[in-house]
Amino acid sequence: CNMAFRKKAAFILKMNPDILIVPECENPERLLFPKDTKKPDSAFWAGVNPHKGIGIFAYNNFSFKIDKNYTEEIKYVIPLIVKAPGIKFSLLAIWANNPKDPDGCYVEQVWKGIQHYKKLIKKKNTILAGDFNSNKIWDAEHRKWSHSSVVNELGKKGITSAYHHHYQEDHGTEKGNTLYMYRHGNKPYHIDYCFLSSDLTQKISTVEIGAFDRWIKYSDHLPLIIEID
């Protein structure tokens, strides 16, 4: 959200989300929503910088709890058990950003997360979503644990990107972009993802990236919106 989520929440809440994953969100002490802003049923925040961590919010009778294997050592890969009436799934909420990790601060964090939480990542009822800060175009810069390594590892369990499945595009050749560096229209990248187990992929009804003209005033990222029946 490029910080100050308290000033921007109302715009995304108009879409009536069940689960929001918000990288670059301020901590709860600063997250003072206006009185008329819908309040979440569950919320969690993790971060070092009080202005810029990861926030997860649940609405519409959805709730979540942190998985018992959660470790702060893999920063901003948050394992959650999400529930609603008749619904239960595992969710890894991701903001791949740990500059102090000598193994790598971006996609390497995702790789470490899927290894540490591999028991939570199952062939059914599994979602991984957020800002992965990665794309196949940078594989050569991350030879140990690249974007393709993550895609292939998840693929072993039938877990695939909702965007790529829905639009039948290959990784690294995306026509839709989720980040515009420095908010410049000529610097587009696709680095935000929602990976779904095959049972959920079959239930996708819509996959949408927010329109540049509508959302760029709020952040350099555009929202990735997935609707599952």
Side-chain angles (χ1 to χ4, degrees):
C1 70
N2 203 212
M3 300 184 288
F5 182 58
R6 65 192 181 278
K7 299 179 181 180
K8 305 171 183 179
F11 303 107
I12 196 72
L13 288 176
K14 289 179 181 178
M15 309 193 78
N16 194 31
D18 297 316
I19 302 290
L20 275 179
I21 299 170
V22 187
E24 300 183 353
C25 175
E26 66 268 49
N27 72 12
E29 293 179 2
R30 290 171 167 77
L31 198 58
L32 302 175
F33 295 113
K35 290 183 178 180
D36 58 347
T37 301
K38 183 179 180 181
K39 302 303 185 291
D41 296 319
S42 291
F44 179 79
W45 184 90
V48 176
N49 182 338
H51 302 285
K52 205 173 186 181
I54 181 171
I56 306 112
F57 307 93
Y59 303 86
N60 301 327
N61 294 319
F62 278 75
S63 63
F64 57 74
K65 65 178 182 179
I66 306 299
D67 184 75
K68 62 183 179 180
N69 292 313
Y70 172 51
T71 174
E72 294 182 359
E73 292 182 6
I74 307 173
K75 289 200 177 299
Y76 315 139
V77 179
I78 314 298
L80 306 168
I81 307 299
V82 182
K83 293 182 179 180
I87 297 172
K88 181 180 179 181
F89 60 89
S90 301
L91 169 65
L92 286 190
I94 294 170
W95 177 32
N97 179 34
N98 185 9
K100 293 185 178 180
D101 191 331
D103 289 327
C105 62
Y106 293 138
V107 69
E108 295 84 0
Q109 301 300 303
V110 184
W111 176 265
K112 288 185 175 184
I114 62 178
Q115 298 304 315
H116 182 77
Y117 300 118
K118 59 184 177 182
K119 291 183 179 180
L120 193 68
I121 301 172
K122 300 177 181 179
K123 294 183 178 181
K124 290 185 177 182
N125 296 313
T126 299
I127 300 176
L128 301 89
D131 179 0
F132 285 46
N133 265 316
S134 68
N135 190 288
K136 185 179 179 180
I137 62 175
W138 297 308
D139 273 3
E141 300 174 27
H142 304 272
R143 295 187 179 185
K144 188 175 182 181
W145 299 315
S146 66
H147 180 83
S148 292
S149 298
V150 167
V151 172
N152 293 337
E153 186 75 2
L154 293 174
K156 293 176 183 178
K157 294 186 177 181
I159 298 171
T160 56
S161 162
Y163 172 89
H164 295 83
H165 173 86
H166 187 73
Y167 290 104
Q168 292 296 292
E169 295 179 11
D170 295 326
H171 284 268
T173 64
E174 297 86 0
K175 296 178 182 177
N177 297 289
T178 66
L179 168 73
Y180 287 82
M181 189 70 73
Y182 310 119
R183 305 194 188 192
H184 293 171
N186 62 348
K187 294 185 177 181
Y189 299 97
H190 191 111
I191 66 171
D192 302 274
Y193 303 88
C194 177
F195 281 81
L196 303 174
S197 52
S198 59
D199 58 316
L200 299 179
T201 301
Q202 295 170 10
K203 298 177 181 180
I204 292 174
S205 57
T206 60
V207 175
E208 177 187 354
I209 297 174
F212 177 89
D213 291 342
R214 177 181 177 185
W215 293 100
I216 201 65
K217 68 184 77 171
Y218 307 121
S219 176
D220 50 352
H221 287 253
L222 307 179
L224 176 63
I225 304 155
I226 314 296
E227 187 171 351
I228 303 169
D229 290 333

